[in-house]
Amino acid sequence: MQRLPPGSHGIPADVVARNQRERLVAAMAEVCAERGYAQTSVAEVAKQAGVSSLTFYKQFAGKESCMLAAHRQLLGRLLEEIDRITEEEGSGARAVVRTALTLFAADPPSARLLTIEVLAAGPEGVRRHDAMVEAFAERLGTDWVRAAGMLALIGKLVVAGEATRLPELEDELVATVSAHS
């Protein structure tokens, strides 16, 4: 997300605020990918987003609320894309797995935030992660445990710096999901 020009520019305040919020969400994913959620600070997220800490606190109550907003927004985009692709290609585990792996490989910071870092954001982070697993299980037509295992494997590879390998797992993950059906 691009920064808006500084100073008086005639851009409506709500557009500026929305732009800042988008940049903060992206920055949360980027900083967490570099440092991990526990070591991420509000100051680092604000700096990465190109805003002041004061602006951060106008948007979010704190680091956890930013993390949860980032998870909600990034997961929403991911599920929308999975649903769009499966609607075009026909539903099925293969389309879901392929789309998820491709998107996660293309954006490792978001993949790490969605699969790993959100778990460090307290009880609400765990609830969000569980809801994500449930959404994947539903789309895959499998049980919660298989979906959780798939997401854990994705997170492990992303943290290891091997996100580019994710698309190679398509056949193996589809076979695992299909074995359950």
Side-chain angles (χ1 to χ4, degrees), residues 97 101 150 153-154 166 169-178:
V97 168
L101 292 174
M150 181 179 108
L153 176 60
I154 289 167
L166 290 174
L169 301 177
E170 180 180 337
D171 290 338
E172 182 179 343
L173 293 177
V174 170
T176 300
V177 170
S178 299

Side-chain angles (χ1 to χ4, degrees), residues 12 23 26 36 65 90 95-97 105 123 144 151 167 178:
R23 292 190 343 248
S65 68
V96 173
V97 168
W144 194 93
L151 291 169
S178 299

